[in-house]
Amino acid sequence: MVKHRSLSRSIISSSSSVRFFSIKAISLYLIFVFAFTIWVLVFSSRNIQTDDQIQQHRDLTDSAEFSPPYLPPKKKSNEKTQLWTPPFSFGLHPCVKPTPKYKEFSESDHYITVRSNGGLNQMRTGIADIVAVAHIMNATLVIPELDKRSFWQDSSVFSDIFDEEHFIKSLKRDVKVIKKLPKEVESLPRARKHFTSWSSVGYYEEMTHLWKEYKVIHVAKSDSRLANNDLPIDIQRLRCRALYRGLRFSPTIESLGQKLVERLKSRAGRYIALHLRYEKDMLAFTGCTYGLTDAESEELRVMRESTSHWKIKSINSTEQRMEGLCPLTPKEVGIFLKGLGYSLSTVIYIAAGEIYGGDDRLSELKSRFPNLVFKETLAGKDELKGFTGHATKTAALDYIISVESDVFVPSHSGNMARAVEGHRRFLGHRRTITPDRKGLVKLFSKMERGQFKEGEKLSNLVKQMHQDRQGAPRRRKGPTQGIKGRARFRTEEAFYENPYPECICSSKQHKEP
């Protein structure tokens, strides 16, 4: 009986322990399941939110309207699109308004006359400099005389090329501009000056001592009269106002230029403007004879020898080419553009005068890019009637079409190439591809030796070489290290080639329409 009771108690105790353990285990199990479920839901929710955010970011970065200041838009996988879209500009915009410290012009009885020198763009940038010089010296500027003695022998006057009335009106707060000297001043003696190239504001302030003896200063040359750097910001912005706002082309030129741009856009959708500087004067001036016949080389040598204002007469053509100082040949341009990835169907506008060697010299470019367009094929004969025999006018058409192109490529770094690049930077850093001529010549030389052929390997090298030569925003380059004295100015990047930072700003408060 005692054993039975003891056994009963043992059974009851054991049963209670099992029940207690089961309840505790179930409770812990339920808590664990509940916690795990919550964790899974939270994690899934976070993953869903992240995926949505990533998708939203992709949608936005693929949109042209999305341009965060801190991160460039996501590169599209479509390589063809990358070849045409402008580089990311980081919200930079033109800024040419004067600062509050700027002093507007005051009436003056002193006058500056000037003979512009060079081709169209050398004259344009020179005139912009002289506008700033007249402001510094507090002088009235007489409408500049254009160069009629250069290689092109163009008889055009200022009003044939530029909108004269607009030029006078747009600069009325900066400098007084008149069409000709007053009669009472015409017969007075004039100080004839060759102002020093790349001069400072201080230099021109010193030149005001000439006003003690003369009412009129005649400036014999206009180009590069001001330094590229270290000038007051208001003077730099005045140069930009004069060039980009004041020197508007005449209505006739502007109208036809815009029509030709519209025709190119409507027919091709997008196009490259190629400044193919393979004209007789450029080859003679640079002494570049690679690929030419002996007769052609001799013709260029004679031209160089007989042109008095070209100082360097004896030039080693091979050394020039290896240093990247020669314009690319049409064939080399074709290899270069193909290497960058442009297709056979790409439309290329040739912004140039008569190509030396004519169609035969162009054949290697045309075999790679058959859709070459010239102003003579784009415009009708009647439209070009007033332009025939006026190289400055036709150069103005090339300038307009080049500035408005989807991609601009210069084969040489001359005056037009620099002016167009600077204008495109000013307008929003439109894609401008500057060939690394020195690097490319090394590749072309290897091709001649059979070490390379046109194809993927060459293309990859060309693309890699030009990753940072697409016209993206950057500050203007200073002089080459180690060069001292006035020689350093020649190694600087020209102000009008890259007017950043003085005329291109990032601050919203300075944004201009």
Side-chain angles (χ1 to χ4, degrees):
M1 185 69 176
V2 174
K3 286 182 180 180
H4 178 73
R5 288 177 180 174
S6 177
L7 180 61
S8 296
R9 287 193 193 102
S10 177
I11 292 171
I12 292 169
S13 176
S14 176
S15 177
S16 298
S17 296
V18 170
R19 190 183 300 114
F20 176 78
F21 175 79
S22 298
I23 294 171
K24 187 176 181 180
I26 290 171
S27 298
L28 289 171
Y29 176 78
L30 290 174
I31 291 170
F32 173 78
V33 170
F34 180 77
F36 179 78
T37 304
I38 294 297
W39 180 81
V40 169
L41 288 172
V42 171
F43 183 80
S44 299
S45 175
R46 287 180 63 185
N47 278 347
I48 292 169
Q49 185 180 15
T50 304
D51 288 342
D52 287 344
Q53 289 173 340
I54 291 172
Q55 185 59 48
Q56 185 181 24
H57 178 70
R58 286 174 179 165
D59 292 341
L60 287 170
T61 52
D62 286 344
S63 168
E65 296 178 357
F66 182 73
S67 53
Y70 53 87
L71 185 66
K74 178 180 177 287
K75 290 183 178 179
K76 295 185 179 182
S77 59
N78 188 344
E79 188 177 8
K80 291 183 180 180
T81 302
Q82 289 182 354
L83 291 170
W84 296 95
T85 54
F88 187 66
S89 64
F90 298 91
L92 296 172
H93 55 81
C95 53
V96 296
K97 286 183 179 179
T99 69
K101 295 180 180 180
Y102 180 68
K103 292 181 180 179
E104 296 184 0
F105 91 97
S106 56
E107 287 289 341
S108 169
D109 60 352
H110 301 126
Y111 302 88
I112 287 179
T113 61
V114 59
R115 188 184 73 81
S116 302
N117 60 295
L120 172 67
N121 292 288
Q122 192 172 350
M123 289 193 290
R124 288 177 68 248
T125 55
I127 291 169
D129 273 7
I130 292 299
V131 166
V133 168
H135 177 85
I136 296 167
M137 297 184 69
N138 192 32
T140 296
L141 176 65
V142 181
I143 286 289
E145 177 188 349
L146 300 189
D147 192 342
K148 297 179 177 62
R149 296 181 293 178
S150 64
F151 171 79
W152 297 276
Q153 299 290 304
D154 193 334
S155 61
S156 299
V157 297
F158 189 93
S159 58
D160 293 328
I161 308 300
F162 304 107
D163 188 335
E164 191 172 75
E165 297 300 329
H166 173 79
F167 181 70
I168 294 170
K169 185 178 178 180
S170 67
L171 296 170
K172 64 183 181 180
R173 293 183 178 179
D174 304 300
V175 62
K176 185 175 181 179
V177 182
I178 59 176
K179 295 183 181 181
K180 59 182 182 179
L181 282 171
K183 288 183 178 180
E184 63 272 18
V185 180
E186 280 183 340
S187 59
L188 295 178
R190 307 178 188 184
R192 298 184 180 275
K193 286 293 297 180
H194 282 266
F195 287 138
T196 303
S197 301
W198 301 296
S199 291
S200 66
V201 169
Y203 169 84
Y204 288 105
E205 289 174 343
E206 290 178 11
M207 288 296 104
T208 58
H209 76 271
L210 293 169
W211 298 136
K212 294 177 182 179
E213 296 183 45
Y214 300 96
K215 289 275 188 182
V216 182
I217 296 175
H218 177 70
V219 182
K221 291 180 68 177
S222 60
D223 67 316
S224 304
R225 294 308 100 181
L226 280 169
N228 293 310
N229 303 300
D230 301 321
L231 295 181
I233 189 169
D234 275 320
I235 295 301
Q236 298 288 55
R237 288 187 178 180
L238 174 53
R239 296 169 83 182
C240 289
R241 286 199 298 280
L243 186 65
Y244 302 130
R245 303 282 169 84
L247 281 170
R248 191 165 68 187
F249 292 117
S250 69
T252 302
I253 293 174
E254 195 69 39
S255 175
L256 181 56
Q258 293 302 331
K259 280 182 183 178
L260 299 185
V261 169
E262 289 171 10
R263 284 175 196 171
L264 275 167
K265 295 278 188 181
S266 63
R267 295 177 189 178
R270 54 195 182 188
Y271 68 94
I272 292 174
L274 171 61
H275 184 43
L276 188 58
R277 198 67 171 94
Y278 205 77
E279 297 135 323
K280 186 177 181 180
D281 67 305
M282 173 54 70
L283 296 176
F285 176 74
T286 57
C288 296
T289 59
Y290 170 77
L292 302 182
T293 65
D294 290 342
E296 288 172 329
S297 299
E298 178 62 16
E299 182 183 29
L300 297 179
R301 186 195 66 77
V302 170
M303 181 180 179
R304 184 169 63 255
E305 291 282 351
S306 60
T307 305
S308 59
H309 59 275
W310 290 352
K311 297 178 181 179
I312 302 174
K313 304 299 182 182
S314 179
I315 299 175
N316 185 315
S317 179
T318 302
E319 289 180 2
Q320 283 281 95
R321 183 169 181 267
M322 295 309 295
E323 287 299 315
L325 300 175
C326 289
L328 297 179
T329 68
K331 177 182 178 180
E332 290 170 340
V333 171
I335 296 171
F336 168 62
L337 292 176
K338 187 177 178 181
L340 287 175
Y342 290 101
S343 68
L344 187 75
S345 62
T346 300
V347 173
I348 300 177
Y349 175 80
I350 304 297
E354 184 178 353
I355 301 301
Y356 193 59
D359 290 339
D360 289 342
R361 197 60 40 72
L362 281 169
S363 61
E364 293 277 15
L365 172 60
K366 198 164 187 176
S367 66
R368 293 169 175 84
F369 296 95
N371 293 321
L372 301 183
V373 181
F374 301 82
K375 63 180 76 65
E376 292 80 7
T377 57
L378 192 59
K381 289 184 178 179
D382 290 341
E383 290 176 311
L384 292 176
K385 188 178 293 183
F387 291 78
T388 305
H390 297 281
T392 309
K393 287 185 177 182
T394 55
L397 291 178
D398 283 342
Y399 184 89
I400 293 170
I401 295 170
S402 296
V403 168
E404 297 299 329
S405 65
D406 297 277
V407 178
F408 175 66
V409 179
S411 67
H412 190 262
S413 55
N415 290 306
M416 177 167 168
R418 290 192 292 268
V420 171
E421 179 177 352
H423 202 161
R424 288 171 67 85
R425 286 181 179 279
F426 180 78
L427 293 173
H429 292 89
R430 298 172 179 178
R431 186 172 291 277
T432 301
I433 305 175
T434 308
D436 178 357
R437 296 190 303 278
K438 188 173 181 179
L440 286 171
V441 165
K442 291 179 181 178
L443 291 182
F444 298 148
S445 297
K446 289 182 178 180
M447 288 180 68
E448 290 179 354
R449 295 195 296 267
Q451 294 176 256
F452 274 119
K453 290 183 179 180
E454 289 185 69
E456 187 176 353
K457 186 177 180 180
L458 178 67
S459 180
N460 288 336
L461 288 172
V462 170
K463 289 174 184 177
Q464 184 179 3
M465 190 184 295
H466 293 86
Q467 282 180 345
D468 299 324
R469 304 176 73 93
Q470 307 276 330
R474 59 170 175 77
R475 286 180 173 268
R476 195 166 53 255
K477 296 175 183 176
T480 302
Q481 289 185 348
I483 298 180
K484 299 180 180 180
R486 296 195 60 79
R488 72 185 188 280
F489 294 131
R490 292 188 179 276
T491 68
E492 293 177 336
E493 186 173 23
F495 172 73
Y496 297 112
E497 186 177 359
N498 183 8
Y500 179 65
E502 297 93 339
C503 299
I504 301 173
C505 301
S506 58
S507 55
K508 292 181 179 179
Q509 61 267 32
H510 291 122
K511 193 162 188 178
E512 299 171 14

